[in-house]
Amino acid sequence: MRRLNVALGERSYDIVIAPDILGQPGLLLPFLQTKRVAVVSNDIVAPLYLAALTEPLAQAGMEVTRVVLPDGERHKNWETLNTIFDAMLRDRCDRGTTVVALGGGVIGDMAGFASATYQRGVPFIQVPTTLLSQVDSSVGGKTGINHPLGKNMIGAFWQPRLVLADTVTLDSLPDRELSAGLAEVIKYGLIRDLPFFEWLEANMSKLLGRDPAALAYAIERSCRNKAEVVSCDERETAKEGGRALLNLGHTFGHAIETGMGYGQWLHGEAVAAGTVMAARLSQRLGWLDADDVRRVIALHEAARLPVRGAPLGAARYLDLMGHDKKVVAGRLRLVLLTRLGEAVTYSDAVRSDIESVIEACCDA
Ligand code: NAD
Ligand code: GLY
């Protein structure tokens, strides 16, 4: 069992990474304040894992509210969120009720936002079941939903009390989703951990082959990187760098997700194509050389991720990117690479350079 801590003072919590921990109520029970727990999942994950998680809790005397949402990014909205509140109110969940998210990043973000706002805030636990959610979205307390005009635009910071990553759940994850998770894994190497980037170059085939030791190592190292970043800049308020660096490729990627319609491109796929655009812009600024960009592209290709963007046209990209949360005082704040393993936030990119990069990185 691997255990690490996200150091946030009184909001600190552990991330536990291990196989077969879903059905071990002993890990969860110490964190439950009252006898009531609300487990939020979706119609893909619930048939696979909801009973394994909830039956031992019920046997231990817990009263369990089960909320099964429709699957998919296109349901990450107010309407679906409201069904969580409907179920919790129906079952008279009180302020001591712990909300448990069982699923990928969509469920984690929505259940987290529900727990941040239900009766002005109730305890929250993350049980992530995708690679992406185990390495990224379950850690750090960003919660929320999409708006038709912008991705993750409505939300709150709300830290979980515990993150339980059961690596066996990855066995049932479709290959395309595994690859999408690898985009966020590669991100940590690129922004702050060159030795990890090099490890990924050497071990990508093991990860794609779902080698348990390689996956557990990648999850732990990713979480360690994320925990360090979040501990230093919990609410992404640092003027430069800080938590914003975790958004490498995301401003371009969010434009793809919103522009193509939520769910068409997986989040990780959009981040992958967006990261290549960020690398190309970094090259234009003279920070990366051609071989660096080749390595960025090659590693994403090895992870079976797209390295070219969606054909939205540069004007549409820029319009959508203008709605991103990374816009500060009307200026696009991009995350770029000064070298492999080192990133900066940069607000001085010239519009024509961004347009050229988008055009070069997208099929017509
Ligand atoms: P997802 O939650 O849609 O899960 C991907 C698919 O896999 C879904 O169909 C899901 O039902 C299915 N699934 C989940 N676990 C499974 C399992 N064990 N076996 C079989 N199928 C399974 O997508 P995701 O990639 O996990 O998360 C993407 C979301 O996370 C996006 O909405 C993104 O904005 C968000 N995100 C949030 C943060 C954050 O810090 N809060 C960070 C990164 C991404
Ligand atoms: N995924 C970006 C963040 O957690 O800040």
Side-chain angles (χ1 to χ4, degrees):
M1 185 177 292
R2 297 162 191 254
R3 187 182 278 268
L4 40 147
N5 186 258
V6 186
L8 288 169
E10 60 182 14
R11 290 183 303 289
S12 298
Y13 53 95
D14 279 354
I15 305 167
V16 181
I17 304 158
D20 289 318
I21 48 175
L22 205 65
Q24 291 183 31
L27 288 168
L28 274 175
L29 285 170
F31 292 88
L32 306 180
Q33 279 183 1
T34 64
K35 285 209 159 305
R36 173 68 64 182
V37 62
V39 181
V40 181
S41 191
N42 71 25
D43 53 18
I44 299 288
V45 178
L48 297 169
Y49 302 114
L50 187 59
L53 181 75
T54 56
E55 276 171 16
L57 292 175
Q59 279 159 17
M62 296 298 300
E63 292 166 349
V64 185
T65 294
R66 296 169 181 80
V67 191
V68 178
L69 306 179
D71 174 50
E73 185 76 39
R74 70 185 193 285
H75 296 292
K76 190 176 164 186
N77 56 28
W78 273 117
E79 194 187 351
T80 313
L81 182 75
N82 216 24
T83 63
I84 305 177
F85 300 135
D86 291 345
M88 292 181 72
L89 287 164
R90 186 197 59 221
D91 283 4
R92 299 183 191 279
C93 292
D94 62 13
R95 293 181 116 173
T97 301
T98 300
V99 172
V100 177
L102 173 69
V106 169
I107 288 298
D109 281 11
M110 276 199 295
F113 189 37
S115 66
T117 47
Y118 184 76
Q119 298 196 4
R120 300 199 180 88
V122 295
F124 176 45
I125 290 176
Q126 289 266 20
V127 184
T129 62
T130 61
L131 181 61
L132 187 141
S133 56
Q134 293 189 355
V135 300
D136 191 351
S137 63
S138 64
V139 176
K142 281 189 180 175
T143 73
I145 55 171
N146 299 326
H147 185 280
L149 290 178
K151 171 95 181 138
N152 294 337
M153 276 292 152
I154 320 293
F157 284 98
W158 193 248
Q159 298 293 344
R161 306 255 168 124
L162 174 72
V163 179
L164 278 187
D166 187 332
T167 48
V168 168
T169 61
L170 301 182
D171 289 351
S172 55
L173 197 65
D175 287 342
R176 187 177 166 203
E177 299 290 351
L178 188 80
S179 289
L182 288 170
E184 302 281 20
V185 174
I186 293 170
K187 169 183 83 179
Y188 297 113
L190 280 173
I191 63 170
R192 71 194 304 273
D193 192 350
L194 180 59
F196 186 37
F197 182 84
E198 289 165 346
W199 182 90
L200 290 167
E201 289 182 315
N203 289 281
M204 189 51 77
S205 58
K206 280 191 191 163
L207 293 172
L208 288 173
R210 301 176 192 237
D211 176 279
L215 275 173
Y217 175 78
I219 294 166
E220 182 184 4
R221 187 133 179 180
S222 297
C223 287
R224 199 171 291 288
N225 271 296
K226 180 142 189 188
E228 284 172 12
V229 172
V230 168
S231 297
C232 295
D233 183 22
E234 182 183 4
R235 293 193 165 223
E236 208 170 301
T237 47
K239 285 214 164 60
E240 287 176 6
R243 184 167 182 165
L245 299 181
L246 296 172
N247 299 321
L248 175 69
H250 283 57
T251 303
F252 294 105
H254 285 169
I256 295 175
E257 289 187 83
T258 309
M260 295 301 286
Y262 297 125
Q264 294 300 309
W265 278 56
L266 301 183
H267 176 70
E269 293 172 341
V271 166
T275 298
V276 173
M277 293 186 206
R280 286 262 182 237
L281 190 52
S282 308
Q283 183 184 16
R284 233 181 144 85
L285 291 166
W287 294 342
L288 294 190
D289 63 26
D291 191 53
D292 293 329
V293 175
R294 181 197 60 74
R295 286 174 71 185
V296 173
I297 292 173
L299 188 55
H300 285 90
E301 281 177 339
R304 298 186 191 139
L305 284 161
V307 292
R308 297 189 62 74
L312 293 168
R316 177 89 173 115
Y317 267 93
L318 281 159
D319 179 41
L320 289 161
M321 288 162 73
H323 280 295
D324 201 81
K325 293 191 294 310
K326 278 62 122 191
V327 174
V328 177
R331 299 179 80 174
L332 259 188
R333 191 165 174 247
L334 294 169
V335 181
L336 299 179
L337 297 167
T338 40
R339 60 183 176 82
L340 297 185
E342 190 178 274
V344 289
T345 45
Y346 188 70
S347 304
D348 293 326
V350 178
R351 188 182 165 98
S352 58
D353 279 349
I354 304 176
E355 275 170 357
S356 303
V357 161
I358 292 170
E359 275 158 14
C361 291
C362 297
D363 298 313

